Structures are given as C-alpha cells and as structure tokens.
C-alpha cells in the first residue's frame, strides 16, 4: 500500500474534475456477469470501484479477485460490517455512521476490527457516513438500526457533515441508500458542500443522466452508482459523458 494513495487521488480531483464510482454488491453478481461488467467499467475509465453491501452472503474476496483480474481501477471496500475486510482490495472506507446514534457504528465495530484492519495493510480512509431519508426504508437503514436524516432538514445534514470534518474524518458520504426511491435533494447537497472542505460523496437512487447531472451541479465530488448499472451496464456510456462535461 502506498500511503494514502487513493485519498490523495480523490483529493486531487476534488473541485477540479468530477468523479464516478461503480458499486458492486457481491450478492447481486455472478462471476461471469461480473467479468463483463468489469470489462465495461475498465473500458470507460471509471474512477473507482466500490465493493460492498448491507448483507453479503457471497465471498467479497472472490468478487474482488475477479475484478482485479480484469482491471487496474482501484477497488475500495464499502463495508456493511466489520466482517467485510478483504486484503486483496486497495483501500477500505472506515465508515462512522454519523447520521445515526448507534454506538456500534460510531466506534464499537472500529474497536473490534482495529487489529484486523492494521494487519490487512489496506489504505484506510476515515469516512463520515450519513444516511438521508428517501421515502422508503432501505436495507442500510434497517440493518444499521439508525434513523436517517430527514430529507427536508438540510441544516441537520450541514451540521452533521461539519462535525464529521472537525472530528478529522477525510470524506463525507451522503447516501439515500441503495435503490432509493429519490436521490438526495440537490439543495441539501449544495448546502453541505458549501460548509465543508473535504470531498463529498453522493449515492443512492441515481439512475438517470439528469439525476447524475443534478448531483454534480449541486456539488458532489464523487457519485456512487450501484443499482442502475446492475440493471443496465450500458448506461455507463452516457453517464460517463456527464462526468466529463
Ligand atoms: C448505495 O450509494 C450507493 O449505498 C448506491 O446506491 O444502488 O441506488 O445506486 P444505488
């Protein structure tokens, strides 16, 4: 691992060039289809690949190995729990679920996994993870046993993100949850962006070019897309044009 290599990459592009990441959920891909998806991702020069999910019954190690066989795009673990540590990734988002009040997801799991994380030699990226309400209950809300920030309360999102930055977290990831009915409101994104100096990641429910454009225009530095590409990987052709505009 090169010291903070991926964090430096995200920082170098922030406020400079929009970034797009594809989220791969090991449970939703068989390895043959995954190969096709990864070839496409590689061809389109996506910035980053995130691997994770709220459950994960299939091996995260095998999924990452398959990805690594077909591309050099960096792979970052987006863990659903402290079981999701796999040495063959490049980095892991060490998530602190700062929108919630579940101590296990604020510090408990981090204590349990500290030795394992250090041993793994993964680049560790401390990330303030914020769930935003989207009109229906998502897997992450249910599994994390936390309440998301109400969609119409941008001020709470701003203060939460600011507190995360002050605590020393390196990224803020605001997520409406996988397959969210509505993505995060652009007004909330722009208010948060105006009040923090660390990169802002946005995800959840972004399934059209317009929604992607809205997120970037509002201030997202990196957008994560999972469900839309699981359903149709060819959307990548047009989505990448929005990133590069
Ligand atoms: C979920 O932000 C990611 O944690 C991606 O969401 O699957 O809705 O694209 P989608």
């Amino acid at each position: 691992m090169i010291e903070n290599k991926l964090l430096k990459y995200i920082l170098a592009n922030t406020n400079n060039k929009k970034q797009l990441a594809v989220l791969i959920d090991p449970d939703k891909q068989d390895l043959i289809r995954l190969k096709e998806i990864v070839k496409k991702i590689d061809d389109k020069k996506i910035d980053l690949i995130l691997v994770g999910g709220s459950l994960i019954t299939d091996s995260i190690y095998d999924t990452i190995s398959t990805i690594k066989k077909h591309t050099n795009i960096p792979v970052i673990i987006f863990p659903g729990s402290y079981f999701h540590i796999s040495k063959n990734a490049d980095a892991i988002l060490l998530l602190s679920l700062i929108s919630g009040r579940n101590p296990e997801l604020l510090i408990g799991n981090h204590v349990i996994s500290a030795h394992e994380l250090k041993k793994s030699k993964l680049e560790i990226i401390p990330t303030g993870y914020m769930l935003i309400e989207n009109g229906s209950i998502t897997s992450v809300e249910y599994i994390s046993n936390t309440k998301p920030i109400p969609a119409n309360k941008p001020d709470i999102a701003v203060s939460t993100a600011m507190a995360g930055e002050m605590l020393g977290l390196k990224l803020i990831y605001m997520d409406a949850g996988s397959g969210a009915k509505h993505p995060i409101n652009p007004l909330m994104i722009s208010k948060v962006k105006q009040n923090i100096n660390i990169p802002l990641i946005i995800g959840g429910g972004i399934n059209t070019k317009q929604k992607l454009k809205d997120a970037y225009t509002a201030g997202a530095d990196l957008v994560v897309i999972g469900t839309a590409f699981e359903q149709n990987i060819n959307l990548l052709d047009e989505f990448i044009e929005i990133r590069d505009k």
Side-chain angles (χ1 to χ4, degrees):
M1 176 201 77
I2 300 174
E3 199 72 17
N4 292 332
K5 191 179 159 198
L6 290 177
L7 179 59
K8 282 183 184 156
Y9 172 85
I10 296 170
L11 281 168
N13 287 327
T14 295
N15 299 328
N16 181 15
K17 175 184 168 290
K18 297 298 183 188
Q19 301 169 73
L20 188 63
V22 174
L23 172 65
I24 293 178
D25 182 338
D27 283 342
K28 295 191 183 151
Q29 304 301 341
D30 64 65
L31 295 181
I32 297 167
R33 182 143 181 269
L34 180 60
K35 202 166 111 182
E36 297 314 309
I37 290 175
V38 174
K39 281 186 179 161
K40 180 91 182 179
I41 292 171
D42 186 66
D43 181 46
K44 291 291 163 190
K45 306 212 173 352
I46 284 286
D47 296 276
L48 301 164
I49 298 172
L50 264 54
V51 175
S54 292
L55 291 175
I56 308 191
T57 54
D58 274 339
S59 160
I60 186 166
Y61 185 91
D62 292 347
T63 301
I64 296 172
S65 295
T66 305
I67 296 171
K68 289 266 170 208
K69 260 185 227 151
H70 301 286
T71 184
N72 291 321
I73 294 173
V75 175
I76 304 182
I77 301 169
F78 173 43
S81 83
Y82 59 86
F83 295 113
H84 302 153
I85 299 173
S86 188
K87 289 177 187 166
N88 55 352
D90 297 283
I92 183 165
L93 298 180
L94 185 61
L95 303 176
S96 193
L97 184 44
I98 57 176
S99 57
R101 298 295 179 268
N102 178 344
E104 297 311 317
L105 303 178
L106 285 163
I107 182 63
N109 286 351
H110 313 68
V111 173
I112 291 168
S113 55
H115 276 281
E116 196 61 29
L117 280 169
K118 191 156 190 178
K119 246 191 343 203
S120 73
K121 299 211 161 48
L122 291 166
E123 177 182 341
I124 292 168
I125 310 180
T127 302
Y129 186 50
M130 294 168 53
L131 285 180
I132 311 296
E133 180 207 2
N134 78 89
S136 61
I137 295 179
T138 54
S139 302
V140 60
E141 180 181 341
Y142 178 78
I143 300 277
S144 70
N145 201 14
T146 67
K147 267 193 202 161
I149 293 175
N152 61 351
K153 302 277 183 209
D155 295 349
I156 297 180
V158 168
S159 298
T160 306
M162 285 172 67
E165 180 176 20
M166 289 170 189
L167 281 166
L169 300 170
K170 304 296 182 206
L171 306 173
I172 294 293
Y173 186 161
M174 291 210 295
D175 197 349
S178 192
K181 249 194 201 165
H182 309 289
I184 299 170
N185 181 328
L187 178 73
M188 183 183 274
I189 298 176
S190 67
K191 286 201 168 180
V192 168
K193 177 66 184 169
Q194 283 159 25
N195 283 283
I196 58 170
N197 289 308
I198 50 176
L200 179 59
I201 305 175
I202 298 295
I206 297 180
N207 53 11
T208 64
K209 282 198 297 182
Q210 189 58 47
K211 288 177 188 168
L212 178 62
K213 205 171 157 190
D214 291 346
Y216 282 142
T217 309
D221 299 300
L222 167 65
V223 173
V224 179
I225 298 185
T227 309
F229 293 151
E230 272 159 24
Q231 287 165 358
N232 179 8
I233 191 63
N234 292 324
L235 284 177
L236 201 50
D237 296 330
E238 27 186 88
F239 280 36
I240 208 80
E241 286 173 16
I242 304 285
R243 180 198 67 175
D244 296 338
K245 252 189 193 158

